[in-house]
Amino acid sequence: MASADITFWNGNKSHIRRQYEKALITLCLQHAKVRNVAFRVDETDYPQPEDEGNIFALGYDALVTVDGNQKFAGKSLIKIQTPLCKDLLSHRLLIINRKKSDVFTSVTTSAELRLLTAGIPATWADADILRSNSCHVYEHGELHDILNALGNGQCDYVPLGANEINAIFNEFKCAERGLVLDPHHVIHYPLPLVFYVNPARADVAHWLTVGLNSAMQSGAFDKLFNEHFPGTFAKLNIKQRRLHRFSNPYLKSVKFD
């Protein structure tokens, strides 16, 4: 790979996030006026956390991940601090088993919610965040595994970002599994998506910073965001839901644009 080429790793995430993040980095490079550079997207999934944490050693130049991702703890990298999904991913809505709908209707406090068990795919950041907030967590397998576990009663709910929950619900045929989207609750903990860049690619970090700032100032970022996540807060009635505000132990205060 020539040094001027860019390889963007876009694995280990939902299809809707892959689409948005691929379009976003393309937009940033366009606004940075990057030309004559080969840009490649690799969507290989790496289920082992150590493989994801060593992604730059595997030859990748940039990725999008949650800020504070512990798989990268202690790793050398360049972080671009600007949140890329506003506050949508921080709002976690719940997929539940239809048979337990009455349980969630009766829950009124965060203390009561903590007594129920969250199902989280292995290596997702949510597991440690929820455990740090005294929640019960069943951590296992990949997303399809944890949805099967929800259907089998091994956990009580699966929290997913407002930006992707409907797409995941449909993609994994949750209704056919006897699952429903809980209409009552939303869990919030700071979970901004940011660019991580290979520490050897300061040029890529510069291009992404310049391009992202330009796209935000021109309105192109908001246009792209709204094309991928149109009216999500209103469609999901997020403001009308019972809010459970939890902390993210890996982040201090986070400002969302």
Side-chain angles (χ1 to χ4, degrees), residues 14-73:
S14 64
H15 179 66
I16 190 171
R17 269 189 56 192
R18 292 185 197 220
Q19 290 181 309
Y20 170 65
E21 291 165 17
K22 177 182 176 180
L24 178 59
I25 191 172
T26 301
L27 180 71
C28 291
L29 295 174
Q30 290 172 345
H31 273 254
K33 297 181 170 58
V34 176
R35 300 185 179 89
N36 301 319
V37 172
F39 173 57
R40 184 172 74 94
V41 177
D42 188 313
E43 296 192 340
T44 301
D45 285 330
Y46 292 103
Q48 299 302 317
E50 57 270 21
D51 291 331
E52 183 175 342
N54 290 322
I55 208 76
F56 296 133
L58 297 176
Y60 297 95
D61 299 309
L63 69 145
V64 174
T65 188
V66 294
D67 194 1
N69 188 334
Q70 291 301 287
K71 302 183 195 75
F72 293 89

Side-chain angles (χ1 to χ4, degrees), residues 1 23 34 110 123 126 155 160 162 165 173 175 201 207:
M1 183 179 70
V34 176
S110 297
T123 80
D126 302 73
C155 55
L160 295 168
I165 192 166
K173 297 179 171 56
R201 296 304 307 269
W207 291 333

